[in-house]
Structures are given as structure tokens and as C-alpha cells.
Amino acid sequence: MRAGADADAESGAGTGRRGGRLRRLLGRSGSNGAAGPDDGGDLAAAAGPTDAGCTRIGDCGERPEGRPVVRVTGTLRSVTERTVAGMPALQAELDDGSASLDVVWLGRRAIAGIEPGRALVASGRIAMTHGRPVLFNPRYELQPRGQE
């Protein structure tokens, strides 16, 4: 009977709270509800203008404190299929006028809407590969055609 009581206490059952410890942890982003400076960054795209909160690609790169989470916007210049460690990968070059970076979706041969000339907003953790910034499996938003 004691094990059940411990499980109820951990999950918040009987206390008026819904969800367990993980749900409460994920729901907490800071003391005032805003993302804190050391919470690892927010990968979710902010609502609003396309380039709101975006980093210039030319300013992206690894820093002494680690690999930052960035949100970038630009136009896809090329899209190619390649193989990484024997698995398919879709690679695209995203350019914003200041520089370009590679966006790589591992395990994908194609993604609907990912094509040269398409405007895209992508967010994820920057990695440097062969001296170039790369976003692996980023969150992304395709921009409506005509807003390139």
C-alpha cells in the first residue's frame, strides 16, 4: 500500500495537480514564465514576423560556451539527397544574404515543400562540420510562396 501512496505523491495525484514530475518540469521555463538564459534555448518558433528573433547566418557558429540554439531564416539555394553513415539524408543550403549554412534531415530522402527557391525558417542547435555551420534535423517552417 505504501508503494501506491509514493507513486501518487510523485505524480501529483490527490493534490489537485495534473501530470507527473516530467510534465511539471517541461511546463516550467523560468521564474516569470519566460525562457531563461541557461535553459538551453527555446526551439519553438515564436509567433509573429518571419524574421522575428532570427539570427543572421553569418553570426552563427560554435562559441566557447558551446553550441548555441539558433533560429535562422533564408532561401533554400540547393537541395540534394546524400548518404550519411549508410543512411539517407536530405541536405539543403540555406542562404540569408550574410552567409549560408547546411540544413540536414537524417533518415529522409525527400520532404514535401523543401525545394530550391523556397523561403524557410529553421531552428536548432548549430554544429560545425568541415568549417561550415550545420543544423541537423531542425524544426522548420516553410514560408508561403511569394514571400521569398
Side-chain angles (χ1 to χ4, degrees), residues 70-142:
V70 298
R71 178 179 154 111
V72 294
T73 185
T75 302
L76 296 173
R77 295 293 173 214
S78 65
V79 178
T80 56
E81 180 188 344
R82 65 179 211 166
T83 303
V84 175
M87 295 188 56
L90 185 65
Q91 180 174 346
E93 181 183 8
L94 184 68
D95 185 300
D96 72 350
S98 69
S100 65
L101 63 74
D102 292 329
V103 181
V104 179
W105 289 274
L106 300 170
R108 304 294 300 264
R109 283 182 167 55
I111 298 174
I114 301 295
E115 56 195 26
R118 192 73 187 260
L120 176 89
V121 176
S123 58
R125 194 166 300 277
I126 283 287
M128 295 299 283
T129 305
H130 304 293
R132 282 185 56 84
V134 180
L135 286 175
F136 287 100
N137 295 326
R139 292 187 182 204
Y140 66 94
E141 301 171 30
L142 290 170

Side-chain angles (χ1 to χ4, degrees), residues 1-17 19-20 24:
M1 180 121 172
R2 183 75 187 137
D6 289 342
D8 286 346
E10 284 186 29
S11 70
T15 61
R17 290 183 287 177
R24 288 190 309 271

Side-chain angles (χ1 to χ4, degrees), residues 24-42:
R24 288 190 309 271
L25 178 66
L26 292 175
R28 186 179 316 145
S29 61
S31 59
N32 62 359
D38 50 333
D39 67 354
D42 183 14

